[in-house]
Amino acid sequence: MSESTPLEPACPLGDEHPGPPSPHARLTQSQLATLVPELLLSGQLIDRSGMAHLISAFGREIMTRVAIEEWMAASPVYTHRMRSALGIDGDTVEDMFKCLQLDIGAPPQFMDFRYEITDPHHGAFVLDHCGALMDVEPLGDEYVTAMCHDIEDPTFDATAIATNRRARIRPIHRPPRVPADRTPHCAWTVTIEPDRPELPLPEDAEHVFTLAAAQVALSPIDGRATDGYTDYRGPLHQDLQFRDWSAGALTRIAEEVALQHQLLALGFQLSLRRYAQSEEQAVEIFRKQLTGIAGLSADRLQAALDLSGDADSLAQVLALHPVLGPVQYTGVQVAVDGDEVVLRIPADSPAQEDGGWITLLTVDHIEPLQAAATAVDPYLTATAEESADGLVIRFSRGEQAHEESGEVAIVRFSSGSNFHFADRGPSVALSITPVGR
């Protein structure tokens, strides 16, 4: 089989200058293992935050187009980054499945992928449970078809080409479910054939590869660490257990997943501007998306890490929040000052250069940060002022409680808002399953 043309970013990734210390490095291995699946689920819920506002503004068809375009812009880029970070350097079906396990499009258990490998170039997967389907089914078959057909077909291929441009992911069966309670929810084949043409890199992904988010250096992984896996060069594991990974690897994975959030948001913004009637409308919808996911993710992070509502807890939630990270990209710094928490957003950073989420936070618009604070403690109030080098936001506790914003309430429509991860025991390495077993 001839080799597939690899993806080539505008600049190679590197760890030579990892930037400021990562807040993730202050966590224990156990805390990091809890945090990573939470971050993956948070990334999945970005669309629950954004798509409702698109439907309201433009209708289902435009929402579908934006969903396709944002994922096709982002997923080849962040999949390439994760492959580079964890040494997933092959171009087989197994390598592709490893990438899916570390993708915000497929958070563990909520999107319960079950993998089967026939040989290096043929495999399959089913979703025993699809949280996205559970969210969309109540809206009717038109929305199910939009997600499971219109969106999945091009975006699955866009993800696959980061591993092999001759890969194709095709359905065996998928919703709308017949009968209505059919399980598994869907089933797909994955094939790599030598005589088929290579898929091109989507045009939007070519653009995103040129952005700072695609190239920023994050925390290096110490390959000599003895506290767990430092790469994913071994066999594919069903039900990947993050507690088996080294603290350094988990730190890098957490940072990469935060960056997946940023890249997806940049893809969303890129597409949204094509359909918005004005830049003002695009900014309004983009900020609503950020507000919703900022509040919901803060709520889940606080619960997952078993934090209280005091200043130290808020500081930890904000420091680890994926919409404000990774720190090497955003430059955001968080500190406790007595009973208050101070968050600083520099005017100059790779994130500011890219013009994504971080640029929505101004003196007059800190709704996303207030949503995050309210999730930790409704009595917290955020106030902002400009400084010589950026924006300073102070969080202090008052006597009047803030109500949860409508943007956060919309995200709670998703079953992911109260989803609980289960301990499924040790990871099991998958072996090749011969055809005709």
Side-chain angles (χ1 to χ4, degrees), residues 138-326:
L139 302 178
D141 284 355
E142 287 186 341
Y143 281 91
V144 171
T145 299
M147 182 181 73
C148 300
H149 296 244
D150 302 337
I151 296 173
E152 291 291 18
D153 286 350
T155 57
F156 262 151
D157 280 350
T159 298
I161 65 172
T163 299
N164 193 310
R165 294 194 187 209
R166 292 190 176 90
R168 304 291 189 271
I169 301 176
R170 295 293 180 263
I172 300 170
H173 69 80
R174 54 180 165 177
R177 291 192 285 170
V178 180
D181 59 350
R182 182 175 187 173
T183 57
H185 289 169
C186 62
W188 303 75
T189 62
V190 183
T191 60
I192 300 170
E193 303 296 348
D195 56 349
R196 64 168 55 131
E198 293 186 341
L199 288 174
L201 184 65
E203 184 175 344
D204 284 350
E206 289 185 356
H207 169 71
V208 174
F209 259 124
T210 70
L211 300 179
Q215 303 161 29
V216 64
L218 301 180
S219 297
I221 301 172
D222 184 356
R224 300 166 299 176
T226 59
D227 57 336
Y229 301 137
T230 59
D231 59 48
Y232 204 177
R233 289 188 170 90
L236 176 75
H237 282 249
Q238 195 83 271
D239 286 327
L240 190 66
Q241 296 298 323
F242 293 107
R243 60 174 176 257
D244 295 336
W245 291 73
S246 73
L250 290 171
T251 291
R252 178 58 176 268
I253 292 170
E255 291 173 351
E256 290 289 351
V257 175
L259 201 62
Q260 289 184 18
H261 284 65
Q262 303 290 347
L263 286 161
L264 190 68
L266 289 166
F268 179 86
Q269 179 193 49
L270 190 65
S271 178
L272 172 60
R273 282 178 167 156
R274 295 192 178 111
Y275 305 104
Q277 297 173 358
S278 65
E279 179 65 11
E280 290 74 19
Q281 184 186 39
V283 169
E284 179 186 8
I285 293 173
F286 199 30
R287 186 177 286 117
K288 286 180 177 180
Q289 179 204 51
L290 174 58
T291 301
I293 196 60
L296 197 284
S297 292
D299 184 27
R300 287 195 59 94
L301 285 174
Q302 181 187 27
L305 296 175
D306 195 23
L307 301 174
S308 65
D310 62 9
D312 287 335
S313 297
L314 175 63
Q316 189 166 11
V317 168
L318 293 175
L320 298 172
H321 205 302
V323 307
L324 297 173

Side-chain angles (χ1 to χ4, degrees), residues 62-111:
I62 297 300
M63 178 276 295
T64 301
R65 290 184 206 169
V66 173
I68 293 169
E69 291 170 6
E70 67 165 337
W71 286 95
M72 291 185 72
S75 64
V77 182
Y78 67 62
T79 302
H80 173 80
R81 287 192 58 96
M82 194 66 83
R83 281 169 54 83
S84 299
L86 298 182
I88 307 173
D89 49 14
D91 63 356
T92 68
V93 167
E94 181 178 42
D95 296 298
M96 192 183 312
F97 290 166
K98 290 178 182 179
C99 294
L100 281 172
Q101 290 179 317
L102 298 160
D103 189 317
I104 58 175
Q109 299 184 26
F110 184 71
M111 306 289 286

Side-chain angles (χ1 to χ4, degrees), residues 125-137:
F125 62 83
V126 302
L127 267 74
D128 275 353
H129 174 272
C130 177
L133 178 64
M134 297 297 95
D135 293 347
V136 172
E137 271 190 334

Side-chain angles (χ1 to χ4, degrees), residues 333-352:
Q333 297 292 324
V334 184
V336 176
D337 182 10
D339 293 332
E340 295 185 339
V341 173
V342 181
L343 185 148
R344 299 180 184 276
I345 301 174
D348 184 18
S349 69
Q352 295 282 4

